[in-house]
Amino acid sequence: MSRFLGRLSRTPSSQSVKTLASADPLPPKTSEVLTKPAPGCIPKPLEPLSAEQQSKLSELEKYIRSVAAEQPPAEDYKQWEDKWLSEHNLYQRYLRAAKGDLENAKKRIKSTLEWRRDFRPEIIAPGSVSHEAETGKQVVSGFDNDGRPLIYLRPARENTTPSNDQVRYLVWTLERAIDFMPPGVENYAIIIDYKSATSQSNPSLSTARTVANILQNHYVERLGRAFIVNVPWFINAFFTAVTPFLDPITKEKIRFNANLAEFVPKEQLDAEFAGGRYNYEWDFKTYWDTLIEVGNIAEDGTRKTGGVNGQQEEGEKTVDGSAVQRHADAIAASQLTEDGATIGLGAAAGTTAALAVVGGTAAATAASSSQSTDKQSAYTYLQNTSDYEDLLSKYDTFLFDCDGVLWSGDETIPGVVSVLQKLRQRGKSVIFVTNNASKSRQTYLKKFAGMNIQASLDEVFSSSYASAVYLKKVLNFPADRKVYVLGMHGIEEELDAEGILHVGGTNEEDNKFLPALDFTSLQNEDAIDPKVGAVVCGFDMHMSYIKIAKAFKHLTRPGFDGPVEANATGGGCHFILTNDDSTFPAKGGPWPGAGSLSAPLVFSTKRTPTIVGKPHKPMLDCIIATKQFDPKRAIMVGDRLNTDIEFAKAGGIASMLVLTGISKKDEIEGPSAKTVPDYLINSLGDLDAVP
């Protein structure tokens, strides 16, 4: 730690990276994007591969191609997968990231194959992320001395709240940097400028973890160097905390307040930094058009001509399975030694870039992202009275999911009523957190009472309540605008409680069946209310084509991505999902959940909703704004790994998984376990064994 702080003290101060007066006047302002390296800026020399390395690369390619052939992707994505499998130096990068361990490299590249099939990073439609780019918070322009494309990241220019669109735009930016790479270059360099940034711009830990996972695990060995300039106090504190998790070589790749002119040609370095002569002026249209032209990108994210690339790229092999002959031409001696030891940047990508893109985050995020994905976290299996007493002594605040934890359907899980009573008797705080949006909090109180469970209104936090609060207090939703509801009474009652107007939902006219292919009723003047400024989608057992069609029209009308203004009609329209649960537990279940029911809208509108419920940040914000508790003495108890346990991890609190709901014990065991709780217990009712 002291060495790290000492190194920080030896780096130039933040003053050194500010624009300094120059004897020579700067060139005129320009919005031109630099798409070619300066003369003489070329990659470092490469060395040939050894026979052993070539053998490993050949086996790695053979393995992943066999996986792809046995489990082929969707037909419309196959050409993009083939292109990725033929990517120059792909297999070298994964072998380096795995420290020469072939079996580990196989696991990592298979994980990326699965991620790419789901995320489809090559074909993100420009229009779906263009709103994220409007302020110039991420800019690809220019190259460093080694020919690496430069990505400028400026957290102070953040213009959106944490969402999937932020993550998609990050991936879109990385893909454009790859488009810029000259032959022989496989890395990019990042310049992170924290000028004017504040700690208030921090995202949710969930978003940061998602970013870290993508960068470290699916863009392996892509980060060549990271420069962090104008470093504020909270970023210094961040790196002080994460230093123990970074190996020395990784730390050497991260430069704080460096003299950028030593690493970037002055003609390609933004004039905001000392020595820079590239007098760049941000212009969204010029920037966007240039990146689309360089990538030859069509409106739907595909390429305009010639299949995937328009033409075969230099150094890229045809898809014939003989990768080693094409890929094994050379490899940097400074990156892969004869025994396969790596000195790459996996950890740096998982910490620095995640930190940079989202504008600063907590040390826990960097710590988790810098660890091996194959390392399984331990959990404590509570099985006797001594275990239960130890748990109760450590925590003062207990947050409970409801379905699958307290009850299943209309049946209380045995022992739960007594356990909750004992917790209150011991002075513990109890909070109920549910993604179920079908009921309002008032209705939930009736259900609690019917099951003899003590609860007060201020102890209940549902995704329907959080959605209403998010609209009212975060989005400042205008009082004269309306919300179109795909959901049940629970959402409507919470909107009423917050004084928000709404249509749709349980309205009789929106719960009818239309005659086949008869769209007449949807074309009436009063069918699509122009005062609607948001669509909220939750669990709805009466989901109908009318509701989906009306919501679709609101979400895709002209100007849908603009502001929602008071005393106006049309224009912007927020898209909010109460939760993205794929299923929910109930008697005879599991059954399809709100996340599944929202799929037609997400697919048809090509819009990414703001998700309020667990594990996402708005729900946690709602609880924190109301309740005061010490996170170190709080624990979340749930039945789902991907919502309840992730929610706890995102909020920095402990977690306990019960086995009376969705997730099962085998999901948290073995090297493939993605989310592991701190504690495991068969049933919450087991705690009734304590006096």
Side-chain angles (χ1 to χ4, degrees), residues 612-663:
V612 174
K614 297 175 295 183
H616 303 280
K617 192 170 184 287
M619 176 73 91
L620 185 62
D621 290 341
C622 181
I623 297 173
I624 292 175
T626 307
K627 297 288 186 179
Q628 300 294 324
F629 57 82
D630 181 359
K632 295 180 181 179
R633 301 279 299 176
I635 184 169
M636 176 72 201
V637 183
D639 70 305
R640 300 179 69 112
L641 293 169
N642 64 340
T643 54
D644 303 319
I645 307 307
E646 280 294 333
F647 177 71
K649 291 182 179 297
I653 63 177
S655 60
M656 182 166 72
L657 178 70
V658 299
L659 299 178
T660 50
I662 295 293
S663 296

Side-chain angles (χ1 to χ4, degrees), residues 115 119-130 132-133 138 140 151 164-180 214 219 284 287-293 295-303:
W115 173 79
F119 203 98
R120 299 188 170 199
E122 308 95 331
I123 50 175
I124 295 173
S128 69
V129 293
S130 59
E132 293 283 347
Q138 300 173 24
V140 182
I151 305 176
N164 289 338
D165 280 358
Q166 285 188 345
V167 178
R168 283 165 53 79
Y169 179 50
L170 160 67
V171 171
W172 197 87
T173 298
L174 297 179
E175 291 292 324
R176 303 293 72 78
I178 293 171
D179 287 343
F180 274 42
I214 290 173
Y219 285 85
F284 168 73
Y287 175 75
W288 204 247
D289 289 348
T290 301
L291 265 63
I292 288 175
E293 180 181 356
N296 199 29
I297 304 170
E299 289 186 4
D300 62 356
T302 60
R303 303 303 177 264

Side-chain angles (χ1 to χ4, degrees), residues 53-287:
Q53 290 166 354
Q54 289 188 15
S55 176
K56 287 184 177 181
L57 292 176
S58 178
E59 187 172 344
L60 180 59
E61 180 180 18
K62 181 179 179 181
Y63 164 77
I64 196 60
R65 286 189 179 278
S66 67
V67 170
E70 291 170 5
Q71 304 171 17
E75 187 61 34
D76 65 337
Y77 188 67
K78 187 176 186 304
Q79 62 174 326
W80 303 100
E81 185 168 290
D82 288 344
K83 176 184 180 295
W84 176 68
L85 292 173
S86 305
E87 190 176 275
H88 186 64
N89 280 351
L90 172 69
Y91 304 100
Q92 285 98 318
R93 289 190 287 106
Y94 274 84
L95 195 60
R96 290 201 303 268
K99 302 182 185 295
D101 183 335
L102 181 59
E103 293 307 310
N104 182 268
K106 288 179 179 179
K107 292 178 182 178
R108 296 186 68 144
I109 200 168
K110 183 175 183 290
S111 173
T112 298
L113 179 80
E114 294 168 349
W115 173 79
R116 294 180 77 90
R117 288 180 174 183
D118 180 59
F119 203 98
R120 299 188 170 199
E122 308 95 331
I123 50 175
I124 295 173
S128 69
V129 293
S130 59
H131 60 286
E132 293 283 347
E134 291 174 353
T135 59
K137 62 186 177 186
Q138 300 173 24
V139 173
V140 182
S141 183
F143 299 78
D144 71 2
N145 291 338
D146 295 318
R148 302 185 187 100
L150 296 175
I151 305 176
Y152 291 90
L153 304 175
R154 292 181 169 93
R157 297 187 183 182
E158 182 58 71
N159 62 324
T160 60
T161 56
S163 69
N164 289 338
D165 280 358
Q166 285 188 345
V167 178
R168 283 165 53 79
Y169 179 50
L170 160 67
V171 171
W172 197 87
T173 298
L174 297 179
E175 291 292 324
R176 303 293 72 78
I178 293 171
D179 287 343
F180 274 42
M181 289 178 184
V185 174
E186 60 179 31
N187 314 116
Y188 40 71
I190 295 178
I191 297 176
I192 310 155
D193 182 9
Y194 277 97
K195 182 179 180 181
S196 302
T198 70
S199 60
Q200 300 304 312
S201 61
N202 289 0
S204 68
L205 289 179
S206 177
T207 299
R209 282 195 176 99
T210 299
V211 169
N213 175 63
I214 290 173
L215 291 169
Q216 181 179 349
N217 298 325
H218 305 312
Y219 285 85
V220 298
E221 298 296 311
R222 282 300 195 187
L223 179 63
R225 190 178 293 279
F227 303 98
I228 306 176
V229 299
N230 293 312
V231 184
W233 69 267
F234 60 90
I235 298 302
N236 273 340
F238 173 91
F239 276 98
T240 299
V242 304
T243 294
F245 299 97
L246 302 180
D247 64 81
I249 297 174
T250 295
K251 285 186 287 188
E252 184 60 28
K253 301 295 183 180
I254 305 172
R255 299 296 181 95
F256 293 86
N257 292 328
N259 180 4
L260 297 179
E262 295 179 3
F263 302 92
V264 181
K266 62 182 181 180
E267 295 83 4
Q268 303 233 342
L269 177 63
D270 194 314
E272 287 191 8
F273 307 108
R277 303 282 298 165
Y278 173 40
N279 199 7
Y280 182 65
E281 182 174 51
W282 170 250
D283 179 78
F284 168 73
K285 186 177 188 307
T286 301
Y287 175 75

Side-chain angles (χ1 to χ4, degrees), residues 602-620:
V602 174
F603 184 76
S604 61
T605 65
K606 295 181 173 59
R607 289 188 59 178
T608 302
T610 296
I611 306 169
V612 174
K614 297 175 295 183
H616 303 280
K617 192 170 184 287
M619 176 73 91
L620 185 62

Side-chain angles (χ1 to χ4, degrees), residues 374-410:
D374 292 318
K375 181 177 180 180
Q376 179 185 350
S377 300
Y379 64 86
T380 301
Y381 194 0
L382 306 182
Q383 296 179 286
N384 55 57
T385 304
S386 176
D387 292 341
Y388 307 152
E389 285 286 4
D390 183 60
L391 177 82
L392 297 181
S393 69
K394 290 181 178 179
Y395 303 104
D396 301 321
T397 302
F398 287 75
L399 294 85
F400 295 101
D401 179 45
C402 297
D403 296 310
V405 177
L406 306 181
W407 58 68
S408 179
D410 293 324

